[in-house]
Amino acid sequence: MKYVLQRAVFYAATAWAAITINFLIPRLMPGDPVEALMSRYQGQLDTSAIASLKALFGLDENQSLWEQYTGYWCHLLDGDLGLSFTFFPTPVGEVISQSLPWTLALVGVTTLISFLLGTGIGVYSGWRRGSWLDGLLPVTTFISAIPYFWLGLIAIALFAVEWQIFPAAGGYDNSLVPAFDWPFVSSALYHGVLPGVTIVLSAVAGWILGMRNMMVTVSSEDYVTVAHAKGLSERRVMFSYAARNAVLPNISGFALSLGFIVGGTLLVEMVFSYPGIGYQLFQAVGAKDYPLMQGVFLIITLSVLAANLLADMAYALLDPRTRKEA
């Protein structure tokens, strides 16, 4: 219980610091977002609305920085992330809620698949060194060494242009109306195959290599030798003694990956024009859409912290030494 409270306090303080930095960064950046918005609409907005827009975006010059900061917290606690410049006057929360499911579905599922697949292969590869599974390592390492944008472009050239098996871009068929029915779901799955496979191919080698090396190290530990001497089955020694201890670094890496799922794989969504949150962030940076950037950064930060907290809890369950040291 003490360990849980310590971690909860630590992550609460980290979240406060991250939110404060998130508040300060747009105010320290050069340029005026309201002027950028006025330029974007090229005279469609009256200049007399500048003061109102600054007040609307929390940049009122008549308020001190502290008053702006407390107002920012009040809006956050009410779930109000402001209005997007790019999609003005759509609220940032609505923009994020429309793009977040696409990223979670694509990057979340592929991250889980690559973790399970890579960890499973790494366990057998490390336990049975010199088997044919070891022969896969150079191939997977070579594929993971290819820059992702290059791998994505090769996949599009081969499977979307040359053989026309999969679509080259988009999240679904534009002739369909988004709805939770089979035509739309099947179209979304079909469009997600090519980016999903490229994500798994580029990520699985890291999980295999990390797990294999840890299995090789753990296999020579005394407690594994004792387990063999007690006559336990090969399967039980491999999973209950060796893999259970060897998997801890992979769990930490997986937790970090879970946090970055929300951020999406920016290059994936750019290469395949996928309508996820990473693509929205790319548009927000280009348009100096500070409220949308703040909203996306906030969601990413809180997701990473939540994932790390879950990883610490999983660590404490798998490794009793963690609880005792706390």
Side-chain angles (χ1 to χ4, degrees), residues 20-312:
T20 302
I21 293 172
N22 197 33
F23 164 79
L24 291 174
I25 284 179
R27 287 160 175 78
L28 298 176
M29 291 175 65
D32 188 334
V34 175
E35 288 183 3
L37 181 65
M38 300 291 288
S39 303
R40 177 184 175 84
Y41 281 87
Q42 298 180 344
Q44 296 179 39
L45 294 176
D46 197 292
T47 52
S48 61
I50 289 178
S52 302
L53 286 172
K54 285 192 174 182
L56 182 64
F57 296 135
L59 302 170
D60 193 349
E61 294 174 348
N62 296 322
Q63 286 186 329
S64 64
L65 190 62
W66 174 251
E67 289 174 329
Q68 292 181 22
Y69 180 64
T70 53
Y72 176 73
W73 267 101
C74 291
H75 288 304
L76 274 187
L77 295 176
D78 288 337
D80 181 8
L81 298 176
L83 299 177
S84 168
F85 293 173
T86 311
F87 305 97
F88 186 78
T90 307
V92 169
E94 187 176 330
V95 176
I96 292 177
S97 65
Q98 289 174 354
S99 56
L100 190 58
W102 291 96
T103 297
L104 290 178
L106 176 66
V107 188
V109 171
T110 52
T111 300
L112 183 61
I113 290 174
S114 59
F115 170 74
L116 294 177
L117 188 64
T119 302
I121 294 175
V123 168
Y124 279 98
S125 167
W127 191 252
R128 303 184 188 282
R129 295 187 295 279
S131 66
W132 63 272
L133 277 173
D134 268 353
L136 291 176
L137 284 177
V139 179
T140 55
T141 304
F142 171 75
I143 294 175
S144 68
I146 301 175
Y148 183 79
F149 70 93
W150 187 239
L151 184 64
L153 292 176
I154 291 174
I156 290 174
L158 290 178
F159 299 103
V161 177
E162 183 67 25
W163 296 322
Q164 299 184 358
I165 301 174
F166 297 106
Y172 57 93
D173 192 335
N174 290 330
S175 63
L176 298 174
V177 176
F180 198 70
D181 53 22
W182 176 244
F184 179 76
V185 172
S186 60
S187 175
L189 291 174
Y190 180 52
H191 281 70
V193 169
L194 204 53
V197 170
T198 54
I199 293 174
V200 171
L201 284 177
S202 64
V204 73
W207 298 117
I208 295 176
L209 197 60
M211 192 64 199
R212 180 193 179 278
N213 292 341
M214 283 303 299
M215 282 295 290
V216 170
T217 303
V218 169
S219 297
S220 61
E221 293 289 340
D222 291 341
Y223 57 84
V224 176
T225 305
V226 171
H228 280 299
K230 289 168 66 178
L232 299 177
S233 66
E234 185 84 1
R235 185 183 182 86
R236 185 176 176 186
V237 176
M238 179 173 66
F239 286 111
S240 300
Y241 286 79
R244 181 178 175 180
N245 289 283
V247 78
L248 294 175
N250 263 25
I251 288 179
S252 294
F254 181 62
L256 290 175
S257 301
L258 287 180
F260 286 109
I261 284 174
V262 178
T265 307
L266 186 61
L267 286 176
V268 176
E269 296 178 356
M270 288 174 62
V271 170
F272 291 95
S273 298
Y274 201 78
I277 199 167
Y279 191 64
Q280 296 291 3
L281 178 61
F282 172 70
Q283 288 183 305
V285 171
K288 295 183 180 178
D289 188 344
Y290 298 139
L292 184 54
M293 281 192 283
Q294 278 183 304
V296 173
F297 288 145
L298 179 66
I299 297 295
I300 292 173
T301 303
L302 295 182
S303 303
V304 171
L305 292 177
N308 276 276
L309 179 61
L310 290 176
D312 284 345

